[in-house]
Amino acid sequence: MIKSLFDKVDLTPPVLLVLGVLFLLLPLLPGEFPLVVGTEILILGLFALSFNLIYGYMGQISFGHAAFFGLGAYTSALILRPMIEAGQLGYVGFFLALAAAVPVSAFGALIVGFFCVRLTGIYFAILSLAFGELLFYIVFSWYSFTKGDDGIQGLMAPSVLKSGLVYYYFTLAVVVMAALLLWKITRSPFGFTLRMLRDNQNRTAFLGIDIRRVMLLNFVIAGAFAGLAGALWGPFQRSVSPALLGWHQSGVPVFMTLIGGAAHFAGPLVGSIIYTALNAYVTQFTTYWSLTIGLIILGMVLYLPGGLLSVLDGWRQRRRKAGT
Amino acid sequence: MPTDWGSLLIQLFSGLSRAMMLFLVSSGLSLIFGVMNILNFAHATLWLLGGYITFSIYTLLAGYYGVSILLLAPAVVAATLALFAIGWAIERTLVRRMYGRELPEQLLLTFALILIIGDLIRLFWGVQNLRIVLPIEPMPVLGSFVNPYLFFIIAVGLIVAGLLWWFLARTRTGKIVRAAVYSRDMVSALGIRIPNIYALVFALGVAIAAFSAGVFLPIIPIGLGMDMDLIVQCFAVVVIGGFGSIVGTFVASLLVGIVYSFSILIWPDGALAIIFVILVAVLIWRPWGLFGTEMRF
């Protein structure tokens, strides 16, 4: 009975449930460091989940997704900074600053997406990269508004949220809500339309679906969630810098999604756990982090192209074969 | 902005020499994509590796024979051959396994190579920028001084461009390579060993890039991270010119090189941003590039 249930149901809820419990219990680990790593995993995990709307569900690869993460981070930072300087940072102002990042990033994604969704494949990838770099250079060289290369320092959350433990649980709450919302979106008719046009754009268009509009809407949703993740980043790291919009940052969700598995909703989150935890702990032993992650990615691409969660699919398939 | 003719001329020459480097790196990138349909993200990283190897060989030679521009030639040749071999090996062991895979997986493989090779460079050569200093007297041109080495680079770039064109247009192997751009199956059906052609194209593309890195060492110091700046510009060049089109790559290199060099005078921080604006405009207006065909789009 349980066996056959395991074969049939969507694996996402159990995987998310296990992850959720692990995240709830994570602060039991000794010291402050796991909290810092945990918060980073959650924020970057949300960033990667939003990226996977474009990659896993829509079938296009964006190399400029960090632009919306950075846009969100800068929006909340630019609103928070004057409040902190005036010493008037309250909860309402803080939450408004975070919330403001969402429409700003969505608007940025609307403009970039308007052009990107006209293209597919390699051209989509390069155009998104070019827009990302363009935004990076605007933030980098507009010193009077963004402080350029110096970034914006001294960001923080108000009173109770300042503690690492509370901010961790706050981030967990936000990310859980966002992830559930994202999951709902991928299970909606809209989500299935995305999968359909990923598999065949022409046939989807034949059904009378305006594919560009669906793609643009999805791009905007992905940008909005990336912006939310970015907004959480500033108060966590206490600063934002133009690098948050650069191609390096855009590579992060790509790696995470590949490591975890793009075909699974929870894949990017699992990827974030592995990538971020490795980054945090490997860098204590060696400065050759790029070499390490490079070799891991090489191994994944060659031997496990479906990502870590594709192992679950493998088990299921074998079980099914054995059953019949 | 300086408006005297002399400094404008200097910008023009530096733009032209920059265009030559962009062309030498992008032509390989474009060829590899045209023939194998692989976008080699690591192309500029292999270019960088070529520069480091040239530097080491040159330094070794200069230790024996003293500083001389003539010693650069054997160093460049050796590094070009070394990268030809490395390119061949990478194609045989890694890139080969990616044919027929999804585009993102191909991109990720070459992306992994960037990370690995970048860190290996750091391991062997450290993090400081390296440069070959040659005793070259600046030449007076219209009241300003121009480094005559720039003329040499422009000439070398044109010669290599000519050789590449000759190879593709006139030799048997070149014709096979061009035929492979249009139909791999057909070429294969004619009894030509496509895997060998693939390895050759990859190795050749990488070798030309390494050659340009070596030739440029006396005027551009190389350092970690330069590969990413360059690869993004090469993408711009290849997209503007059209994937697989050598003529398009050449024209786009001139455009990007000269625009970059003049925009540095006007808006130093935004020189690259202007290139991206051009790139975005081309991608929206003609995604297949100025000289490309709509075929692959």
Side-chain angles (χ1 to χ4, degrees):
Chain A
M1 172 69 191
I2 291 170
K3 234 181 190 178
S4 67
L5 208 65
F6 174 76
D7 288 345
K8 274 178 200 146
V9 294
D10 185 351
L11 283 177
T12 304
V15 171
L16 283 183
L17 208 64
V18 170
L19 290 180
V21 172
L22 287 179
F23 277 122
L24 274 175
L25 297 179
L26 180 122
L28 294 178
L29 292 174
E32 276 279 307
F33 194 57
L35 281 181
V36 175
V37 178
T39 311
E40 195 171 329
I41 286 174
L42 287 167
I43 296 174
L44 293 179
L46 177 59
F47 180 34
L49 280 173
S50 75
F51 163 82
N52 202 34
L53 276 187
I54 297 172
Y55 178 51
Y57 291 92
M58 197 169 81
Q60 301 300 326
I61 187 160
S62 166
F63 271 113
H65 203 51
F68 313 119
F69 183 83
L71 220 50
Y74 266 92
T75 304
S76 64
L78 286 170
I79 297 173
L80 283 175
R81 189 67 204 142
M83 289 198 267
I84 292 166
E85 273 169 359
Q88 292 172 326
L89 181 64
Y91 288 105
V92 178
F94 179 73
F95 292 131
L96 280 179
L98 291 196
V102 176
V104 171
S105 291
F107 184 68
L110 181 70
I111 295 170
V112 174
F114 178 79
F115 297 107
C116 284
V117 299
R118 269 140 227 277
L119 307 167
T120 55
I122 203 166
Y123 296 97
F124 185 100
I126 294 179
L127 188 60
S128 62
L129 176 71
F131 268 118
E133 290 296 283
L134 203 57
L135 278 165
F136 166 80
Y137 280 107
I138 290 172
V139 170
F140 186 81
S141 53
W142 194 356
Y143 190 84
S144 57
F145 186 53
T146 63
K147 294 276 190 314
D149 204 14
D150 299 345
I152 298 168
Q153 316 288 337
L155 298 171
M156 55 179 163
S159 51
V160 176
L161 276 173
K162 252 186 266 179
S163 119
L165 181 70
V166 179
Y167 198 78
Y168 171 78
Y169 276 117
F170 169 69
T171 307
L172 181 61
V174 174
V175 171
V176 164
M177 282 190 286
L180 288 178
L181 205 56
L182 278 168
W183 194 49
K184 265 274 199 246
I185 291 170
T186 62
R187 307 291 298 172
S188 70
F190 171 75
F192 285 100
T193 312
L194 282 178
R195 291 185 187 77
M196 183 162 62
L197 69 84
R198 170 193 69 193
D199 294 337
N200 194 321
Q201 288 210 351
N202 286 336
R203 289 190 189 178
T204 312
F206 291 157
L207 290 176
I209 291 164
D210 187 344
I211 51 171
R212 278 189 184 166
R213 210 162 126 178
V214 173
M215 284 171 83
L216 181 58
L217 180 58
N218 186 47
F219 201 89
V220 170
I221 293 172
F225 279 97
L228 179 63
L232 290 167
W233 188 260
F236 162 57
Q237 288 284 321
R238 306 278 149 100
S239 66
V240 294
S241 71
L244 291 180
L245 289 91
W247 66 268
H248 235 125
Q249 187 76 6
S250 287
V252 169
V254 183
F255 296 152
M256 290 177 171
T257 304
L258 182 95
I259 292 172
H264 289 265
F265 177 79
L269 213 50
V270 173
S272 173
I273 295 171
I274 296 169
Y275 181 93
T276 313
L278 270 179
N279 195 353
Y281 292 101
V282 169
T283 42
Q284 295 179 344
F285 298 106
T286 169
T287 55
Y288 294 98
W289 160 244
S290 293
L291 187 65
T292 315
I293 190 73
L295 288 172
I296 291 173
I297 292 166
L298 199 66
M300 295 293 291
V301 171
L302 290 178
Y303 301 108
L304 200 59
L308 210 62
L309 286 183
S310 71
V311 174
L312 292 178
D313 295 333
W315 285 346
R316 266 220 291 210
Q317 259 168 20
R318 246 165 283 149
R319 204 183 269 267
R320 219 170 276 163
K321 258 182 208 158
T324 50
Chain B
M1 179 189 168
T3 45
D4 59 299
W5 289 110
S7 45
L8 285 183
L9 206 65
I10 288 179
Q11 285 309 316
L12 179 68
F13 284 127
S14 95
L16 282 175
S17 62
R18 187 179 182 81
M20 289 307 146
M21 180 166 78
L22 285 173
F23 172 71
L24 293 179
V25 182
S26 311
S27 57
L29 194 66
S30 172
L31 210 56
I32 291 168
F33 182 77
V35 176
M36 284 101 98
N37 235 333
I38 292 264
L39 189 61
N40 182 17
F41 242 122
H43 206 68
T45 312
L46 293 163
W47 163 87
L48 192 62
L49 182 62
Y52 276 100
I53 293 178
T54 311
F55 177 85
S56 287
I57 298 174
Y58 173 82
T59 315
L60 193 73
L61 290 174
Y64 283 111
Y65 304 104
V67 174
S68 159
I69 190 165
L70 292 176
L71 292 177
L72 193 59
V76 168
V77 170
T80 305
L81 291 176
L83 262 291
F84 187 89
I86 292 172
W88 191 285
I90 288 177
E91 201 280 340
R92 279 284 154 119
T93 53
L94 298 173
V95 177
R96 168 144 305 176
R97 309 173 70 153
M98 287 292 115
Y99 302 133
R101 287 277 199 96
E102 299 275 318
L103 170 79
E105 291 175 11
Q106 299 176 347
L107 290 179
L108 281 161
L109 179 105
T110 52
F111 212 97
L113 286 178
I114 293 182
L115 298 172
I116 294 169
I117 298 169
D119 248 10
L120 287 179
I121 289 175
R122 193 156 65 95
L123 187 67
F124 285 111
W125 284 278
V127 289
Q128 73 278 31
N129 287 3
L130 302 178
R131 177 177 198 166
I132 290 176
V133 182
L134 291 173
I136 303 172
E137 289 290 313
M139 235 167 66
V141 176
L142 286 178
S144 293
F145 287 92
V146 181
N147 185 345
Y149 194 77
L150 288 183
F151 298 119
F152 173 71
I153 282 178
I154 295 169
V156 167
L158 288 174
I159 290 169
V160 175
L163 281 175
L164 194 63
W165 174 83
W166 173 81
F167 168 72
L168 288 172
R170 292 282 181 267
T171 66
R172 185 182 139 81
T173 317
K175 283 175 181 167
I176 294 171
V177 169
R178 277 193 305 144
V181 173
Y182 288 96
S183 173
R184 289 175 256 188
D185 296 341
M186 196 61 215
V187 173
S188 183
L190 291 172
I192 290 156
R193 285 177 188 276
I194 281 286
N196 287 350
I197 296 293
Y198 283 2
L200 175 77
V201 168
F202 197 88
L204 190 69
V206 169
I208 297 173
F211 172 83
S212 74
V215 170
F216 270 81
L217 264 178
I219 55 167
I220 302 178
I222 50 168
L224 289 169
M226 274 182 77
D227 52 337
M228 284 320 292
D229 284 347
L230 184 66
I231 195 70
V232 172
Q233 288 178 58
C234 288
F235 279 161
V237 164
V238 171
V239 169
I240 292 170
F243 273 105
S245 162
I246 290 294
V247 176
T249 307
F250 189 76
V251 174
S253 299
L254 286 177
L255 182 75
V256 170
I258 289 170
V259 166
Y260 183 88
S261 149
F262 279 99
S263 45
I264 273 186
L265 288 179
I266 306 160
W267 183 27
D269 285 337
L272 277 174
I274 293 174
I275 308 274
F276 289 124
V277 171
I278 299 176
L279 171 64
V280 167
V282 168
L283 270 171
I284 292 161
W285 168 57
R286 273 178 78 95
W288 52 91
L290 299 178
F291 290 81
T293 46
E294 224 169 317
M295 185 177 68
R296 281 191 187 280
F297 176 60

